[in-house]
Amino acid sequence: MSVPHIRDYQGKHIHMIGIGGSSMSGLAQMLKEKGYVITGSDNLETYATRHLRDDLGIPVTIGHKPENIHGADLVVYTVAILPDNPERVEIERLGLPNIERATLLGQLMEGFETAIGVCGAHGKTTTTSMLSQILMQCEMDPSIHIGGNLDFIGGSTRIGKSGTFLAEACEFNASFLHLRPTVAVVLNIDADHLDFYRDIDHIQETFGRFLGLLPQNGTAIGNGDDKRIMEELGKLSCQTLTFGLENQCDYMPQNLAFDECGHAMFDLAFHGEVIGHVKLQVPGAFQVYNALAALSCAHHLGADVAEMCRAMSDFKGAHRRFELTSIIDGVKLYHDYGHNPAEMRNAVGVAVMQPHNRVWAVMQPHTYSRVKRLFDDYLTCTEAADITLVTDIYAAREKDPGDIKAEMVVEGMRAHGVNAIHTPTFDDTEAYLRAHWQPGDLVLTLGCGNINQLNDQIYAHEEKE
């Protein structure tokens, strides 16, 4: 059976299972703007589902039920929606046409002269957001799909009028292999999603397959300090460009320095010649790599150098990326989407550079398989914080195997000298924080599940008082 194509359903009813996901909600908005009739379902009420329903007029049902798909001409689902989901079971019973989210994104990117895919284990959303703002401020009018929200474009998607489509390319379940990029930006290759990938070599091999999708006249832009990326770039016959800090890369920072809060400033050099100056508003050494990636891609596409550096210096960050959500009792509450140990360690590292009394890291471990495979890394990833609170593991798409618990993470953290406490629920966590925090403290919630709702909950309780 041939794969359905979205172009054949113009004006028809598209139902989206898991519509509240960061990518799916953006695709829903994009399809609605293109004239499709959209409905959706999700298992949780979130910012995204409320925005879709209240602001965009898209009917969203909370809870997965077979009848949700009735009347749909085409159904789109994410890889997190398993085959035993009631709606997917009903799809099979009725024989309804259906496609996976990544397939839809790939179809929407078809026909664009310049199709940019930004991939990597860490930093995809931030780098795609940076590049979005640069291309917009340089009046290059791109279509955009980000796996997060950027105030500068008013959400996660934008339909432009040029021949450029910029998309975040996710490696989870190798979904980025459904895209057809003409420009690929590769930030890093690291161990993650080990519920799908066999090991780091399997991950590298799959990134290599993504790069292999580039046409002969395409361009691969990669982190020149990442050995695995350089191995894959070396296999390509198309144009390759590199960015980095350590090796002799095409794009490098000169006179790199940081202020007291960890904001980088540097001269951007191309082939050793300084072409511009940047002062970042997003803190963290890792943001230098993200900025270099965005700037190198924009420069390759012909962006005005002065304006692209100005846009990069104007960038204030995407939502859920070290985002200040509120200040309560003199305590600053931040949230970061980091959901594996490397990202959590980076976020905590940024937190301790901010003015603070004590830093609280509130970790929501994400999926049982990730915690099991990266268990040892979890035990020290928040060691720079003064106190770590650990909630129960967020299952996401998985079922509890019964052999891994948050208590085990806490016990291991304590054995490594980390001041860790198990606070199973959001109510437990909020109560502990309010009983122990002090003015001047900084609280950072970490995770890509629903831990951001803890920040909302704390703020809502404060507003009612």
Side-chain angles (χ1 to χ4, degrees), residues 348 359-363 381-390 410 413 418-423:
V348 173
V359 169
W360 296 72
V362 182
M363 173 199 293
C381 69
T382 64
E383 61 186 351
D386 297 288
I387 307 150
T388 297
L389 304 185
V390 182
V410 170
M413 284 180 152
V418 176
N419 182 9
I421 300 109
H422 180 217
T423 52

Side-chain angles (χ1 to χ4, degrees), residues 110-369:
E110 289 176 7
F112 282 84
E113 180 181 357
T114 302
I116 309 161
V118 178
C119 66
H122 320 295
K124 293 184 293 293
T125 298
T126 295
T127 303
T128 310
S129 298
M130 287 174 167
L131 185 52
S132 296
Q133 184 157 335
I134 291 171
L135 298 183
M136 288 286 293
Q137 285 191 217
C138 289
E139 300 183 350
M140 299 176 77
D141 198 18
S143 294
I144 297 167
H145 178 70
I146 307 171
N149 284 306
L150 177 64
D151 286 341
F152 191 83
I153 65 169
S156 61
T157 60
R158 178 183 188 274
I159 298 176
K161 295 182 173 62
S162 74
T164 299
F165 193 120
L166 166 63
E168 183 175 333
C170 182
E171 79 279 9
F172 173 60
N173 274 35
S175 63
F176 59 177
L177 298 184
H178 292 280
L179 307 183
R180 292 296 178 268
T182 64
V183 178
V185 180
V186 193
L187 304 172
N188 39 66
I189 296 176
D190 200 0
D192 200 5
H193 303 302
L194 293 171
D195 53 334
F196 174 79
Y197 292 104
R198 180 180 64 253
D199 51 28
I200 185 65
D201 292 332
H202 185 201
I203 294 171
Q204 178 180 338
E205 173 193 324
T206 308
F207 272 87
R209 290 173 61 196
F210 175 68
L211 290 171
L213 298 173
L214 290 166
Q216 187 62 40
N217 63 348
T219 303
I221 303 172
N223 182 346
D225 296 339
D226 188 307
K227 179 182 177 182
R228 291 181 180 274
I229 291 176
M230 291 303 293
E231 287 177 0
E232 297 307 317
L233 292 183
K235 300 174 185 177
L236 300 177
S237 56
C238 67
Q239 181 184 20
T240 62
L241 294 167
T242 57
F243 60 88
L245 278 67
E246 299 171 6
N247 298 316
Q248 288 303 310
C249 300
D250 296 301
Y251 294 89
M252 298 189 71
Q254 291 185 8
N255 303 312
L256 176 62
F258 293 86
D259 68 16
E260 65 279 5
C261 291
H263 301 98
M265 58 200 83
F266 59 88
D267 295 319
L268 175 65
F270 176 57
H271 292 163
E273 180 183 346
V274 172
I275 59 174
H277 179 77
V278 174
K279 171 70 166 70
L280 297 181
Q281 294 192 50
V282 285
F286 57 92
Q287 297 289 13
V288 177
Y289 279 101
N290 294 338
L292 287 172
L295 290 164
S296 58
C297 183
H299 187 246
H300 168 68
L301 296 176
D304 178 81
V305 174
E307 190 58 41
M308 78 178 191
C309 289
R310 187 177 301 114
M312 187 72 265
S313 299
D314 289 343
F315 179 75
K316 292 180 172 63
H319 287 293
R320 297 195 70 179
R321 272 68 185 178
F322 201 73
E323 178 183 14
L324 177 64
T325 60
S326 62
I327 301 175
I328 298 172
D329 294 342
V331 177
K332 290 185 176 181
L333 278 77
Y334 287 82
H335 170 68
D336 192 89
Y337 193 78
H339 53 284
N340 61 44
E343 293 170 353
M344 290 179 173
R345 185 181 295 277
N346 281 339
V348 173
V350 170
V352 299
M353 286 190 285
Q354 311 313 304
H356 66 272
N357 176 21
R358 296 173 301 173
V359 169
W360 296 72
V362 182
M363 173 199 293
Q364 183 185 55
H366 190 263
T367 71
Y368 302 103
S369 59

